[in-house]
Coordinates of all heavy atoms in Angstrom, one line a residue:
M16 N -8.4 95.6 50.7 CA -9.1 95.7 52.0 C -8.6 97.0 52.6 O -7.5 97.3 52.8 CB -8.7 94.5 52.9 CG -9.3 94.6 54.3 SD -9.3 93.2 55.4 CE -8.0 92.2 54.9
A17 N -9.6 97.8 53.0 CA -9.3 99.1 53.7 C -9.0 98.9 55.2 O -9.6 98.0 55.9 CB -10.4 100.0 53.6
H18 N -8.0 99.6 55.6 CA -7.6 99.6 57.0 C -7.9 101.0 57.6 O -7.9 102.0 57.0 CB -6.1 99.3 57.2 CG -5.7 98.0 56.7 ND1 -5.9 96.8 57.5 CD2 -5.1 97.5 55.5 CE1 -5.5 95.8 56.8 NE2 -5.0 96.2 55.6
G19 N -8.1 100.9 59.0 CA -8.4 102.2 59.7 C -7.0 102.9 59.9 O -6.0 102.5 59.4
P20 N -7.1 104.1 60.6 CA -5.8 104.8 60.8 C -4.8 104.0 61.5 O -5.2 103.1 62.4 CB -6.3 106.0 61.6 CG -7.7 105.8 62.0 CD -8.2 104.6 61.2
R21 N -3.5 104.3 61.3 CA -2.5 103.5 61.9 C -2.5 103.9 63.4 O -2.5 105.1 63.7 CB -1.2 103.9 61.2 CG -0.1 102.8 61.5 CD 1.1 103.3 60.6 NE 2.0 104.1 61.2 CZ 3.0 103.9 62.0 NH1 3.2 102.5 62.2 NH2 3.8 104.7 62.6
R22 N -2.3 102.9 64.3 CA -2.1 103.2 65.7 C -0.7 103.6 66.1 O 0.3 103.2 65.4 CB -2.5 101.9 66.5 CG -3.9 101.6 66.5 CD -4.1 100.4 67.5 NE -5.5 100.0 67.5 CZ -6.0 99.1 68.3 NH1 -5.1 98.5 69.1 NH2 -7.2 98.8 68.2
A23 N -0.6 104.5 67.1 CA 0.7 104.8 67.5 C 1.4 103.7 68.2 O 0.7 102.8 68.8 CB 0.6 106.0 68.5
R24 N 2.7 103.6 68.1 CA 3.4 102.6 68.9 C 3.4 102.9 70.3 O 3.6 104.1 70.6 CB 4.8 102.5 68.3 CG 5.5 101.2 68.7 CD 6.8 101.1 67.9 NE 7.8 101.9 68.4 CZ 8.7 101.7 69.3 NH1 8.6 100.5 70.0 NH2 9.6 102.5 69.7
I25 N 3.3 102.0 71.3 CA 3.4 102.3 72.6 C 4.8 101.9 73.2 O 5.2 100.7 72.9 CB 2.3 101.6 73.5 CG1 1.0 102.0 73.0 CG2 2.4 101.8 75.0 CD1 0.5 103.3 73.3
A26 N 5.4 102.7 74.0 CA 6.7 102.3 74.7 C 6.5 102.7 76.1 O 5.7 103.5 76.5 CB 7.8 103.1 74.0
F27 N 7.3 102.1 77.0 CA 7.2 102.4 78.4 C 8.5 102.9 78.9 O 9.6 102.4 78.6 CB 6.8 101.1 79.2 CG 5.5 100.6 78.8 CD1 5.4 99.6 77.8 CD2 4.3 101.1 79.4 CE1 4.0 99.2 77.5 CE2 3.0 100.7 79.0 CZ 3.0 99.7 78.1
S28 N 8.5 103.9 79.8 CA 9.7 104.3 80.5 C 10.1 103.3 81.5 O 9.3 102.3 81.8 CB 9.4 105.7 81.2 OG 8.5 105.4 82.3
D29 N 11.2 103.4 82.0 CA 11.7 102.3 83.0 C 10.8 102.2 84.2 O 10.4 101.2 84.6 CB 13.1 102.6 83.5 CG 14.2 102.4 82.4 OD1 13.8 101.7 81.4 OD2 15.3 102.9 82.6
S30 N 10.4 103.4 84.7 CA 9.5 103.4 85.9 C 8.1 102.9 85.6 O 7.5 102.1 86.4 CB 9.3 104.8 86.5 OG 8.8 105.7 85.5
A31 N 7.6 103.1 84.3 CA 6.3 102.5 84.0 C 6.4 101.1 83.8 O 5.6 100.3 84.2 CB 5.8 103.2 82.7
A32 N 7.6 100.6 83.2 CA 7.8 99.2 83.0 C 7.8 98.4 84.4 O 7.3 97.3 84.5 CB 9.1 98.9 82.2
K33 N 8.4 99.1 85.4 CA 8.4 98.5 86.8 C 7.0 98.4 87.3 O 6.6 97.4 88.0 CB 9.3 99.3 87.7 CG 10.8 99.0 87.4 CD 11.7 99.7 88.4 CE 13.1 99.3 88.2 NZ 14.0 100.3 87.7
Q34 N 6.2 99.4 87.1 CA 4.8 99.4 87.5 C 4.1 98.2 86.9 O 3.3 97.5 87.5 CB 4.1 100.7 87.1 CG 4.4 101.8 88.0 CD 3.6 103.1 87.6 OE1 3.8 103.6 86.5 NE2 2.7 103.4 88.5
L35 N 4.3 98.0 85.6 CA 3.7 96.9 84.8 C 4.0 95.6 85.4 O 3.1 94.6 85.5 CB 4.0 96.9 83.4 CG 3.5 98.1 82.6 CD1 4.0 98.0 81.2 CD2 2.0 98.2 82.6
E36 N 5.2 95.4 85.8 CA 5.7 94.1 86.4 C 4.9 93.8 87.6 O 4.8 92.6 88.1 CB 7.2 94.1 86.7 CG 8.0 94.1 85.4 CD 9.5 94.3 85.8 OE1 10.0 94.3 87.0 OE2 10.3 94.6 84.7
S37 N 4.5 94.8 88.4 CA 3.8 94.6 89.7 C 2.3 94.3 89.6 O 1.7 94.0 90.6 CB 4.1 95.7 90.7 OG 3.4 96.9 90.2
I38 N 1.8 94.4 88.4 CA 0.3 94.2 88.2 C 0.1 92.7 88.2 O 0.7 92.0 87.4 CB -0.1 94.8 86.8 CG1 0.0 96.3 86.9 CG2 -1.6 94.4 86.6 CD1 -0.4 97.0 85.6
T39 N -0.8 92.2 89.0 CA -1.2 90.9 89.1 C -2.6 90.5 88.8 O -2.9 89.4 88.5 CB -0.8 90.3 90.5 OG1 -1.5 91.0 91.5 CG2 0.7 90.3 90.8
S40 N -3.5 91.5 88.9 CA -4.9 91.3 88.7 C -5.3 91.4 87.3 O -4.8 92.3 86.6 CB -5.7 92.1 89.6 OG -6.4 93.1 88.9
E41 N -6.2 90.5 86.8 CA -6.7 90.6 85.4 C -7.5 91.8 85.2 O -7.5 92.4 84.2 CB -7.7 89.4 85.2 CG -7.0 88.0 85.0 CD -6.3 88.0 83.6 OE1 -6.8 88.5 82.6 OE2 -5.2 87.5 83.6
A42 N -8.2 92.3 86.2 CA -9.0 93.6 86.1 C -8.1 94.7 85.9 O -8.4 95.6 85.0 CB -9.9 93.8 87.4
E43 N -6.9 94.8 86.5 CA -6.0 95.8 86.3 C -5.4 95.8 85.0 O -5.2 96.8 84.3 CB -4.8 95.8 87.4 CG -5.2 96.3 88.8 CD -4.1 96.2 89.8 OE1 -3.0 96.7 89.4 OE2 -4.3 95.7 90.9
L44 N -5.0 94.6 84.5 CA -4.5 94.4 83.2 C -5.5 94.8 82.1 O -5.2 95.5 81.1 CB -4.0 93.0 83.0 CG -2.8 92.6 83.5 CD1 -2.5 91.1 83.4 CD2 -1.6 93.4 83.0
H45 N -6.7 94.5 82.3 CA -7.8 94.9 81.3 C -8.0 96.3 81.3 O -8.1 97.0 80.2 CB -9.1 94.2 81.7 CG -10.3 94.7 80.9 ND1 -10.6 94.2 79.6 CD2 -11.3 95.6 81.2 CE1 -11.6 94.8 79.2 NE2 -12.1 95.6 80.1
A46 N -8.0 97.0 82.5 CA -8.1 98.5 82.6 C -6.9 99.2 81.8 O -7.2 100.2 81.1 CB -8.2 98.9 84.0
L47 N -5.7 98.7 82.1 CA -4.6 99.3 81.4 C -4.6 99.0 79.9 O -4.4 100.0 79.1 CB -3.3 98.6 82.0 CG -2.0 99.1 81.3 CD1 -1.8 100.6 81.4 CD2 -0.8 98.3 81.9
D48 N -5.0 97.8 79.5 CA -5.1 97.5 78.0 C -6.1 98.5 77.4 O -5.8 99.0 76.3 CB -5.6 96.1 77.8 CG -4.4 95.1 77.8 OD1 -3.2 95.6 77.8 OD2 -4.7 93.9 77.8
R49 N -7.2 98.7 78.0 CA -8.2 99.6 77.5 C -7.7 101.0 77.3 O -7.9 101.6 76.2 CB -9.5 99.5 78.3 CG -10.6 100.3 77.8 CD -11.8 100.2 78.8 NE -12.6 101.3 78.7 CZ -13.9 101.4 78.6 NH1 -14.5 100.3 78.3 NH2 -14.5 102.5 78.5
A50 N -7.1 101.5 78.4 CA -6.5 102.9 78.2 C -5.4 102.9 77.2 O -5.4 103.9 76.4 CB -6.0 103.2 79.6
L51 N -4.6 101.9 77.0 CA -3.5 102.0 76.1 C -4.1 101.9 74.6 O -3.5 102.6 73.7 CB -2.6 100.8 76.2 CG -1.7 100.9 77.5 CD1 -0.9 99.5 77.6 CD2 -0.7 102.0 77.5
V52 N -5.1 101.2 74.4 CA -5.8 101.2 73.1 C -6.3 102.5 72.7 O -6.0 103.1 71.6 CB -7.0 100.1 73.1 CG1 -7.8 100.3 71.8 CG2 -6.3 98.7 73.0
V53 N -6.9 103.2 73.7 CA -7.5 104.5 73.4 C -6.4 105.5 73.0 O -6.5 106.3 72.0 CB -8.3 105.1 74.6 CG1 -8.6 106.6 74.5 CG2 -9.5 104.2 74.9
V54 N -5.3 105.5 73.8 CA -4.2 106.5 73.5 C -3.5 106.0 72.3 O -3.1 106.9 71.6 CB -3.2 106.4 74.8 CG1 -1.9 107.2 74.5 CG2 -3.9 107.1 76.0
S55 N -3.3 104.7 71.9 CA -2.7 104.4 70.7 C -3.5 104.8 69.4 O -3.0 105.1 68.4 CB -2.4 102.9 70.6 OG -3.6 102.1 70.5
V56 N -4.8 104.8 69.6 CA -5.7 105.2 68.4 C -5.6 106.7 68.3 O -5.6 107.2 67.1 CB -7.1 104.7 68.6 CG1 -8.1 105.3 67.7 CG2 -7.2 103.2 68.5
D57 N -5.6 107.4 69.4 CA -5.7 108.9 69.3 C -4.7 109.5 70.4 O -5.1 109.8 71.5 CB -7.0 109.4 69.5 CG -7.1 111.0 69.5 OD1 -6.1 111.6 69.1 OD2 -8.2 111.5 69.8
P58 N -3.4 109.6 70.1 CA -2.4 110.1 71.1 C -2.7 111.5 71.7 O -2.2 111.8 72.7 CB -1.0 110.1 70.3 CG -1.3 109.1 69.2 CD -2.7 109.2 68.9
D59 N -3.6 112.2 71.0 CA -3.8 113.6 71.5 C -5.1 113.6 72.3 O -5.5 114.7 72.8 CB -4.1 114.6 70.2 CG -2.9 114.7 69.3 OD1 -1.8 114.7 69.9 OD2 -3.1 114.7 68.1
V60 N -5.6 112.4 72.7 CA -6.8 112.4 73.5 C -6.6 112.9 74.9 O -7.5 113.5 75.6 CB -7.4 111.0 73.6 CG1 -6.5 110.0 74.4 CG2 -8.7 110.9 74.1
G61 N -5.4 112.8 75.4 CA -5.1 113.2 76.8 C -5.0 114.7 76.9 O -4.8 115.4 75.9
E62 N -5.2 115.2 78.1 CA -5.0 116.7 78.4 C -3.6 117.0 78.6 O -2.9 116.3 79.4 CB -5.8 117.0 79.7 CG -7.3 116.8 79.5 CD -7.9 117.8 78.5 OE1 -7.5 119.0 78.5 OE2 -8.8 117.3 77.7
P63 N -3.1 118.1 78.0 CA -1.7 118.5 78.3 C -1.6 118.9 79.8 O -2.5 119.5 80.4 CB -1.6 119.8 77.4 CG -2.6 119.7 76.5 CD -3.7 119.0 77.1
I64 N -0.4 118.5 80.4 CA -0.1 118.9 81.8 C 0.8 120.1 81.7 O 1.9 120.1 81.1 CB 0.6 117.7 82.5 CG1 -0.3 116.5 82.5 CG2 1.1 118.2 83.8 CD1 0.3 115.2 83.1
P65 N 0.4 121.2 82.4 CA 1.2 122.4 82.3 C 2.5 122.2 83.0 O 2.6 121.4 83.9 CB 0.3 123.5 83.1 CG -1.0 122.9 83.3 CD -0.9 121.3 83.1
G66 N 3.5 122.8 82.5 CA 4.9 122.6 83.1 C 6.0 123.1 82.3 O 5.7 124.0 81.4
D67 N 7.1 122.6 82.5 CA 8.3 123.0 81.8 C 8.2 122.8 80.3 O 7.9 121.6 79.9 CB 9.5 122.2 82.3 CG 10.9 122.7 81.8 OD1 10.9 123.6 81.1 OD2 11.8 122.0 82.2
T68 N 8.5 123.8 79.5 CA 8.3 123.6 78.0 C 9.6 123.1 77.4 O 9.6 123.0 76.2 CB 7.9 124.9 77.4 OG1 8.9 125.9 77.7 CG2 6.5 125.3 77.8
A69 N 10.7 123.0 78.2 CA 12.0 122.5 77.7 C 11.9 121.1 77.2 O 12.5 120.7 76.2 CB 13.1 122.7 78.7
G70 N 11.2 120.2 78.0 CA 11.1 118.8 77.6 C 9.9 118.5 76.7 O 9.2 119.4 76.3
P71 N 9.6 117.2 76.6 CA 8.4 116.8 75.8 C 7.2 117.2 76.6 O 7.2 117.3 77.9 CB 8.6 115.3 75.7 CG 9.4 114.9 76.8 CD 10.4 116.1 77.1
Q72 N 6.1 117.4 76.0 CA 4.8 117.8 76.6 C 4.1 116.7 77.2 O 3.7 115.8 76.5 CB 3.9 118.5 75.5 CG 2.5 118.7 76.1 CD 2.4 119.8 77.1 OE1 2.8 121.0 76.8 NE2 1.9 119.5 78.3
L73 N 4.1 116.6 78.5 CA 3.4 115.5 79.1 C 1.9 115.6 79.0 O 1.4 116.7 79.0 CB 3.7 115.4 80.7 CG 5.0 114.7 81.1 CD1 5.2 114.9 82.6 CD2 5.0 113.3 80.7
R74 N 1.2 114.5 78.8 CA -0.2 114.5 78.8 C -0.8 113.5 79.7 O -0.1 112.6 80.1 CB -0.6 114.1 77.3 CG 0.0 115.0 76.2 CD -0.6 114.6 74.9 NE -2.0 115.1 74.6 CZ -2.3 116.2 74.3 NH1 -1.5 117.2 74.0 NH2 -3.6 116.4 74.1
E75 N -2.0 113.7 80.0 CA -2.7 112.8 81.1 C -4.0 112.4 80.4 O -4.8 113.2 80.0 CB -3.0 113.5 82.3 CG -3.7 112.7 83.3 CD -4.1 113.5 84.6 OE1 -4.1 114.7 84.6 OE2 -4.4 112.9 85.6
Y76 N -4.1 111.0 80.3 CA -5.4 110.5 79.9 C -6.1 109.8 81.1 O -5.5 108.9 81.8 CB -5.2 109.5 78.8 CG -6.5 108.7 78.5 CD1 -7.6 109.3 77.9 CD2 -6.7 107.4 78.8 CE1 -8.7 108.6 77.6 CE2 -7.8 106.6 78.6 CZ -8.8 107.3 78.0 OH -10.0 106.6 77.8
A77 N -7.3 110.1 81.4 CA -8.0 109.5 82.5 C -9.2 108.7 81.9 O -10.0 109.3 81.2 CB -8.5 110.5 83.5
D78 N -9.4 107.5 82.3 CA -10.5 106.7 81.8 C -11.4 106.5 83.1 O -11.0 105.8 84.1 CB -10.0 105.3 81.4 CG -11.2 104.4 80.9 OD1 -12.3 104.5 81.5 OD2 -11.0 103.6 80.0
E79 N -12.5 107.2 83.1 CA -13.3 107.3 84.3 C -14.0 105.9 84.5 O -14.4 105.6 85.7 CB -14.4 108.4 84.2 CG -13.7 109.7 84.0 CD -12.8 110.1 85.2 OE1 -13.1 109.7 86.4 OE2 -11.8 110.8 85.0
V80 N -14.3 105.2 83.4 CA -15.0 103.9 83.6 C -14.1 102.9 84.2 O -14.5 102.2 85.2 CB -15.4 103.4 82.2 CG1 -16.1 101.9 82.3 CG2 -16.5 104.3 81.5
E81 N -12.9 102.8 83.7 CA -11.9 101.8 84.3 C -11.2 102.4 85.5 O -10.5 101.6 86.2 CB -10.9 101.4 83.3 CG -11.5 100.6 82.0 CD -12.0 99.2 82.4 OE1 -11.7 98.7 83.5 OE2 -12.8 98.7 81.6
R82 N -11.3 103.6 85.7 CA -10.6 104.3 86.9 C -9.2 104.1 86.9 O -8.5 103.8 87.8 CB -11.3 103.8 88.2 CG -12.7 104.0 88.3 CD -13.4 103.5 89.6 NE -12.8 104.1 90.8 CZ -13.0 105.3 91.3 NH1 -13.8 106.1 90.7 NH2 -12.5 105.7 92.4
V83 N -8.5 104.6 85.7 CA -7.1 104.6 85.6 C -6.7 105.9 84.9 O -7.5 106.5 84.2 CB -6.5 103.4 84.7 CG1 -6.8 102.1 85.4 CG2 -7.1 103.4 83.3
R84 N -5.4 106.2 85.1 CA -4.8 107.4 84.4 C -3.6 106.9 83.8 O -2.8 106.3 84.5 CB -4.6 108.5 85.4 CG -5.9 109.2 85.9 CD -5.6 110.4 86.7 NE -4.4 110.3 87.6 CZ -3.8 111.3 88.2 NH1 -4.2 112.5 88.1 NH2 -2.6 111.1 88.8
L85 N -3.3 107.5 82.7 CA -1.9 107.3 82.0 C -1.2 108.7 81.9 O -1.9 109.6 81.5 CB -2.0 106.7 80.6 CG -2.5 105.3 80.5 CD1 -2.7 105.0 79.0 CD2 -1.7 104.3 81.2
L86 N 0.1 108.8 82.3 CA 0.8 109.9 82.0 C 1.8 109.6 80.9 O 2.5 108.5 81.0 CB 1.6 110.4 83.3 CG 0.8 110.7 84.5 CD1 1.7 111.1 85.7 CD2 -0.2 111.7 84.2
Y87 N 1.8 110.3 79.8 CA 2.6 109.9 78.7 C 3.0 111.2 77.8 O 2.6 112.3 78.2 CB 1.8 109.0 77.8 CG 0.6 109.6 77.2 CD1 0.6 110.1 75.8 CD2 -0.6 109.7 77.8 CE1 -0.5 110.8 75.2 CE2 -1.7 110.3 77.3 CZ -1.7 110.8 76.0 OH -2.7 111.4 75.4
W88 N 3.9 111.0 76.9 CA 4.3 112.0 76.0 C 4.4 111.3 74.6 O 4.5 110.1 74.6 CB 5.5 112.8 76.4 CG 6.8 112.0 76.6 CD1 7.2 111.3 77.7 CD2 7.8 111.8 75.7 NE1 8.3 110.7 77.6 CE2 8.8 111.0 76.3 CE3 8.1 112.2 74.4 CZ2 10.0 110.6 75.7 CZ3 9.3 111.8 73.8 CH2 10.2 111.0 74.4
V89 N 4.3 112.1 73.5 CA 4.3 111.6 72.2 C 5.5 112.1 71.5 O 5.8 113.3 71.5 CB 3.0 112.0 71.4 CG1 3.0 111.5 70.1 CG2 1.8 111.7 72.2
T90 N 6.3 111.1 70.9 CA 7.5 111.6 70.2 C 7.1 112.2 68.8 O 5.9 112.1 68.4 CB 8.4 110.4 69.9 OG1 7.8 109.5 69.0 CG2 8.7 109.6 71.2
A91 N 8.1 112.7 68.1 CA 7.9 113.3 66.8 C 7.4 112.2 65.8 O 6.7 112.6 64.9 CB 9.2 113.9 66.3
L92 N 7.8 111.0 66.1 CA 7.4 109.9 65.1 C 6.1 109.3 65.6 O 5.8 108.1 65.2 CB 8.5 108.8 65.0 CG 9.8 109.4 64.4 CD1 10.9 108.3 64.4 CD2 9.6 109.9 63.0
R93 N 5.3 109.9 66.5 CA 4.1 109.4 67.0 C 4.1 108.1 67.9 O 3.2 107.4 68.0 CB 3.1 109.2 65.9 CG 2.8 110.4 65.0 CD 2.1 111.6 65.7 NE 0.7 111.3 65.9 CZ 0.0 112.1 66.7 NH1 0.5 113.1 67.3 NH2 -1.3 111.9 66.8
T94 N 5.3 108.0 68.5 CA 5.4 106.9 69.5 C 4.8 107.5 70.9 O 5.3 108.5 71.3 CB 6.8 106.4 69.7 OG1 7.2 105.8 68.4 CG2 6.8 105.3 70.8
V95 N 3.9 106.7 71.5 CA 3.5 107.2 72.8 C 4.4 106.5 73.9 O 4.5 105.3 73.9 CB 2.0 106.7 73.0 CG1 1.5 107.0 74.5 CG2 1.1 107.4 72.0
V96 N 5.0 107.4 74.7 CA 5.9 106.9 75.7 C 5.2 107.0 77.0 O 4.9 108.1 77.5 CB 7.2 107.6 75.8 CG1 8.0 107.1 77.0 CG2 7.9 107.5 74.4
V97 N 4.7 106.0 77.6 CA 4.0 105.9 78.9 C 5.0 106.1 80.0 O 6.0 105.4 80.1 CB 3.2 104.7 79.1 CG1 2.5 104.7 80.5 CG2 2.2 104.5 78.0
V98 N 4.7 107.1 80.8 CA 5.6 107.5 82.0 C 5.1 106.8 83.3 O 5.8 106.3 84.1 CB 5.7 109.0 82.1 CG1 6.6 109.4 83.4 CG2 6.3 109.6 80.9
A99 N 3.8 106.8 83.4 CA 3.2 106.2 84.7 C 1.8 105.8 84.4 O 1.1 106.3 83.6 CB 3.2 107.2 85.8
Y100 N 1.4 104.7 85.2 CA 0.0 104.2 85.1 C -0.5 104.3 86.6 O 0.2 103.9 87.5 CB 0.0 102.8 84.7 CG -1.1 102.0 85.1 CD1 -2.4 102.1 84.6 CD2 -0.9 101.0 86.2 CE1 -3.4 101.4 85.0 CE2 -2.0 100.3 86.7 CZ -3.2 100.4 86.1 OH -4.4 99.7 86.5
L101 N -1.7 105.0 86.8 CA -2.1 105.2 88.1 C -3.6 104.7 88.2 O -4.4 104.9 87.3 CB -2.1 106.7 88.4 CG -0.8 107.4 88.2 CD1 -0.9 108.9 88.1 CD2 0.2 107.0 89.3
E102 N -3.9 104.1 89.3 CA -5.2 103.8 89.6 C -5.9 105.0 90.3 O -5.3 105.6 91.1 CB -5.4 102.6 90.5 CG -5.1 101.3 89.8 CD -5.3 100.2 90.7 OE1 -6.5 99.8 90.9 OE2 -4.3 99.6 91.2
V103 N -7.2 105.4 89.9 CA -7.8 106.5 90.4 C -8.6 106.1 91.6 O -9.2 105.1 91.6 CB -8.7 107.2 89.4 CG1 -9.4 108.4 89.9 CG2 -7.9 107.6 88.1

């Protein structure tokens, strides 16, 4: 059986994990899930955020349909580390 490309693993920074704990609505959870799936399938989908080149390159993915944004960076092993989840 053929499988599609391997998805990136998703991890959350401490601040993003705290944001997740405060989500109570099904609609918000659905929107976040949808955005996480997109980023896990293609970690390069987000736009690079200009800034300090000493640390990891932050990226921003905006889902205009669900009206959410993810700020994240990708490790050398292709793990997506979500830094923040924002409602637009």
Side-chain angles (χ1 to χ4, degrees):
M16 175 167 29
H18 294 283
R21 196 171 91 90
R22 287 187 181 183
R24 195 169 78 84
I25 302 285
F27 297 94
S28 69
D29 289 344
S30 60
K33 284 187 173 110
Q34 283 183 294
L35 293 178
E36 290 172 8
S37 68
I38 296 175
T39 56
S40 110
E41 283 292 319
E43 285 181 46
L44 283 173
H45 173 77
L47 175 60
D48 275 351
R49 182 178 150 126
L51 291 173
V52 166
V53 170
V54 171
S55 73
V56 171
D57 181 7
D59 297 322
V60 71
E62 295 294 319
I64 297 174
D67 187 3
T68 56
Q72 172 67 61
L73 276 177
R74 301 183 76 84
E75 174 184 23
Y76 169 72
D78 183 324
E79 301 302 327
V80 174
E81 297 291 347
R82 301 180 55 79
V83 298
R84 290 186 324 166
L85 292 178
L86 301 181
Y87 67 95
W88 56 279
V89 182
T90 68
L92 298 176
R93 303 294 284 171
T94 296
V95 173
V96 179
V97 176
V98 177
Y100 156 74
L101 309 162
E102 289 185 71
V103 180

